[in-house]
Amino acid sequence: MKHFIAVAVVVMILTALVGLGLSNAGLFPELASLQGKFIDELFQMQFWVIAFLFALIVGFMLYTIIVFRRREGDESDADHIEGNNALEVTWTVIPLITVIGVAVFGANTLAKVTAIDPQALEVKVIGQQWSWRFEYPETGVVSDVLLLPQGQQALLVMESTDVLHSFWVPEFRVKQDLMPGSTTEVRITPTELGDYTVRCAEVCGLQHTYMLADVRVVPEEEFDTWLANEAVVADDPVDRGQKVYEQYGCQACHTLDGSELVGPTFLGAYGRQVEFEDGTTALADEAYLYESVVDPNARIVKGFPPNVMPQNYADQITDEQINDLIEFMKSLSDN
Ligand code: CUA
């Protein structure tokens, strides 16, 4: 009997040490969503179950190894024990109850994490190799940053234009795959203001690692103002084109004031006569500008280096966005 009491003490101490160690090991990033709270509670419960089972097995084992070791001069055999029904029933029933308990806790957590708020803000999330796009269907706003109001449930309706991707903001905990040909959903209620990053959690090709986008949780009034401003932009193709120009990094090489960087300026680019490296010329009309975006090496403007502009804009920018960009360029031209 005294051995059982001793082992029980060892197991309790070991459980406390392992449980506290796991809980305080900093295994999680900051928590920033209501759904994440339930997931963390589930994890905490599992940490303690894991700690107890670990202590039960390792505590018993260590105690036995040390206390019942063979003493010097002891040549006798150990007792031969032929089964123990009570023990076997116990170590079957207790784990069974534990596993059922974890399953119930898990199902409960799933129900809370997927709970529907009818007032949820719907946002369409489009994943494509290798960028994210966010659409706010009520206003038609399209953004490369996911802005969410604090404290309001967001219903993210997800689609992929090509392969499998996975939407994951570690601070929100929940994770959801995007599938080509069907839509998936995830609900997030951001609780903490701040800047986060959505990363793709499904290997989706060469640039998978860089498939990131900014997520900003802002106060509700700031969100409403932002959405209203963006909605105005969304109505005007020139404004939309200017956003494309800023969002896709065009300004790194193409100025708007006539000065030359690595690429030709956009000022007056539309409608002028362009001369190419091979001596031919062409009118910079819509078709030419479109080609310059999707296949920049097809014709290189005289005096500019080839192979500088990324070749993959056709995968990143939609045709509508290119048309908006051309409208923006037209607005910079007298022709
Ligand atoms: Cu998309 Cu990885």
Side-chain angles (χ1 to χ4, degrees):
M1 193 62 198
K2 83 170 203 290
H3 287 305
F4 279 107
I5 293 166
V7 164
V9 171
V10 169
V11 168
M12 277 194 293
I13 293 171
L14 208 51
T15 302
L17 287 178
V18 175
L20 288 174
L22 284 173
S23 305
N24 294 301
L27 298 174
F28 298 111
E30 181 200 342
L31 173 64
S33 82
L34 179 67
Q35 289 74 15
K37 184 174 150 277
F38 305 129
I39 290 173
D40 283 9
E41 284 168 6
L42 182 64
F43 260 106
Q44 285 302 331
M45 184 275 290
Q46 295 203 34
F47 281 164
W48 285 101
V49 172
I50 289 166
F52 175 68
L53 289 176
F54 176 85
L56 192 64
I57 294 164
V58 174
F60 253 100
M61 189 180 72
L62 287 177
Y63 187 87
T64 311
I65 288 172
I66 294 163
V67 176
F68 299 110
R69 69 186 183 279
R70 185 194 285 273
R71 314 278 161 168
E72 203 149 334
D74 179 3
E75 295 297 323
S76 65
D77 268 348
D79 289 343
H80 182 73
I81 297 167
E82 191 77 44
N84 184 327
N85 284 340
L87 191 61
E88 284 169 27
V89 168
T90 309
W91 78 39
T92 305
V93 170
I94 290 178
L96 183 70
I97 292 170
T98 309
V99 169
I100 291 173
V102 171
V104 170
F105 203 130
N108 222 326
T109 303
L110 185 64
K112 285 193 243 175
V113 165
T114 53
I116 295 171
D117 178 352
Q119 305 294 317
L121 167 81
E122 189 178 324
V123 185
K124 220 171 135 189
V125 177
I126 296 112
Q128 62 183 97
Q129 286 169 320
W130 289 274
S131 63
W132 298 96
R133 198 164 76 243
F134 308 101
E135 296 181 7
Y136 296 79
E138 272 173 33
T139 49
V141 166
V142 181
S143 170
D144 61 345
V145 175
L146 176 60
L147 232 82
L148 295 174
Q150 182 191 28
Q152 187 186 350
Q153 187 181 81
L155 166 61
L156 305 185
V157 181
M158 315 214 201
E159 268 171 35
S160 166
T161 59
D162 36 47
V163 299
L164 288 177
H165 302 281
S166 187
F167 180 97
W168 186 39
V169 179
E171 290 84 355
F172 295 157
R173 302 294 190 267
V174 287
K175 187 197 274 178
Q176 177 62 53
D177 277 6
L178 286 73
M179 286 184 281
S182 64
T183 56
T184 51
E185 290 182 354
V186 68
R187 290 172 187 273
I188 295 167
T189 312
T191 51
E192 305 297 324
L193 298 175
D195 293 346
Y196 310 97
T197 302
V198 51
R199 51 199 70 239
C200 180
E202 182 76 55
V203 178
C204 58
L206 207 59
Q207 304 286 320
H208 155 71
T209 324
Y210 304 107
M211 190 168 163
L212 309 169
D214 291 335
V215 178
R216 293 183 54 215
V217 177
V218 297
E220 206 174 329
E221 314 82 69
E222 190 181 333
F223 175 80
D224 291 341
T225 312
W226 174 83
L227 198 62
N229 287 341
E230 294 293 308
V232 173
V233 171
D235 272 344
D236 180 4
V238 174
D239 287 347
R240 288 198 305 259
Q242 178 159 12
K243 271 198 79 184
V244 172
Y245 171 80
E246 289 157 6
Q247 288 174 349
Y248 288 86
C250 310
Q251 75 265 45
C253 302
H254 304 283
T255 67
L256 302 180
D257 61 6
S259 61
E260 303 287 9
L261 298 173
V262 189
T265 180
F266 279 5
L267 184 70
Y270 174 78
R272 76 185 169 112
Q273 203 68 23
V274 232
E275 195 181 348
F276 302 109
E277 280 293 331
D278 63 5
T280 59
T281 60
L283 181 72
D285 56 6
E286 278 103 344
Y288 165 73
L289 293 174
Y290 180 87
E291 177 199 83
S292 300
V293 176
V294 298
D295 187 10
N297 272 358
R299 289 184 279 182
I300 299 291
V301 177
K302 193 173 170 59
F304 291 96
N307 297 319
V308 171
M309 178 148 155
Q311 310 281 305
N312 63 346
Y313 274 124
D315 302 329
Q316 298 182 30
I317 308 187
T318 64
D319 279 358
E320 298 88 78
Q321 285 177 308
I322 297 176
N323 288 336
D324 290 342
L325 186 63
I326 293 171
E327 288 304 317
F328 173 56
M329 291 172 77
K330 282 185 188 172
S331 75
L332 301 167
S333 180
D334 308 329
N335 298 305

